[in-house]
Amino acid sequence: MPIGLICAIPQELAHLRTLLLDAAPVQSAHTEFVTGTLDGYDVVLAGSGMGKVNSALVATVLADRFGCGTIVFSGVAGGLDPELKVGDVVIADRVIQHDAGLIEDDRLQTYQPGHVPFINPTDRLGHPVDDDLLARVRERLRGFTLPTAAIRFGTVLSGDQYLHCEVTRERLQRDFGGLAVEMEGGAVAQVADAFGVPWLVIRALSDLAGHDSRFDFLAFVDDVAATSVAILRRLLPVL
């Protein structure tokens, strides 16, 4: 079964597109899916566009139409943990959709998407990565280093907003222990879990999600996207 590879923005997609051999495009919905081989592995590459709906649509097509055995989201994100810096890589061991939940007393109580406490309650919050896949990824990266960047495993948050606020950054990190925040991974995980397909989210930090995030993003997105691709290529044998 092929590996499904999703990127959100053109800078991320471009790095992978140039590496594909025997590339063959297939149009579906608003997206061009490209089948081919990457380092000898059968893959289907797609650019989802930003946001949870776009990424969910693409993940659904990869699972249902192309029969992908694993779905990977590779790209950039904003850093939440103050110990991280631009260029560092976060690999999710769990993703949480931080913008889904119950609004009460003018505040959002984050809750598992698709659930409401007084209708269909659940104790679950977020989606964990498959244990076997995560163990293989950790082992594959053991001893692997990047010249100027650290690799961390932890919680990644997803929401349909671009975060450009120090106060919110601090709150999200405090409330959820999140290492990074982005706009797609939680939806990919939700869809993949529904199909019983293992998934992985790899995020290199293009900014630190604070008041300078838009400027950091524009300055660093190309180089950081390449870092995310380098990690992905390292992990292909265990996906």
Side-chain angles (χ1 to χ4, degrees):
M1 291 184 288
I3 301 167
L5 305 178
I6 308 175
C7 301
I9 60 176
Q11 293 93 328
E12 299 162 351
L13 190 66
H15 287 280
L16 285 171
R17 184 67 175 82
T18 59
L19 296 171
L20 282 191
L21 299 178
D22 301 319
V26 178
Q27 196 71 28
S28 181
H30 72 290
T31 304
E32 182 180 76
F33 296 81
V34 183
T35 64
T37 60
L38 176 61
D39 297 343
Y41 295 90
D42 292 334
V43 301
V44 184
L45 173 64
S48 66
M50 292 182 288
K52 292 192 294 182
V53 173
N54 283 331
S55 58
L57 185 156
V58 169
T60 299
V61 175
L62 288 173
D64 192 50
R65 177 170 177 176
F66 290 97
C68 292
T70 307
I71 296 176
V72 182
F73 200 108
S74 173
V76 301
L80 294 177
D81 189 325
E83 294 184 1
L84 295 172
K85 65 182 185 303
V86 170
D88 286 347
V89 174
V90 175
I91 298 176
D93 57 21
R94 180 174 68 147
V95 293
I96 296 173
Q97 296 182 43
H98 68 84
D99 61 345
L102 169 70
I103 297 178
E104 189 172 38
D105 297 326
D106 203 32
R107 297 192 63 182
L108 173 67
Q109 174 191 343
T110 301
Y111 212 73
Q112 189 76 344
H115 292 266
V116 177
F118 53 86
I119 299 176
N120 54 345
T122 179
D123 292 331
R124 294 184 63 200
L125 182 61
H127 297 267
V129 176
D130 176 79
D131 288 339
D132 290 340
L133 175 58
L134 188 60
R136 296 197 304 271
V137 168
R138 288 183 181 274
E139 181 61 29
R140 179 66 177 168
L141 292 178
R142 191 184 305 277
F144 179 78
T145 59
L146 296 166
T148 60
I151 302 172
R152 295 270 303 276
F153 289 83
T155 299
V156 171
L157 307 183
S158 300
D160 275 313
Q161 308 96 17
Y162 183 90
L163 183 55
H164 183 68
C165 174
E166 293 281 359
V167 173
T168 304
R169 173 193 175 191
E170 292 171 1
R171 177 180 61 79
L172 291 176
Q173 204 279 326
R174 180 181 65 248
D175 290 353
F176 301 105
L179 299 185
V181 62
E182 37 89 307
M183 301 173 70
E184 298 86 21
V188 171
Q190 185 176 351
V191 168
D193 281 355
F195 280 95
V197 175
W199 57 270
L200 193 67
V201 171
I202 305 168
R203 292 290 189 171
L205 304 186
S206 60
D207 61 86
L208 299 179
H211 68 278
D212 288 329
S213 63
R214 71 187 70 174
F215 307 111
D216 290 342
F217 175 86
L218 294 172
F220 296 113
V221 63
D222 285 312
D223 290 340
V224 172
T227 298
S228 183
V229 170
I231 295 291
L232 171 63
R233 297 179 73 182
R234 172 72 180 179
L235 294 178
L236 281 172
V238 300
L239 297 177

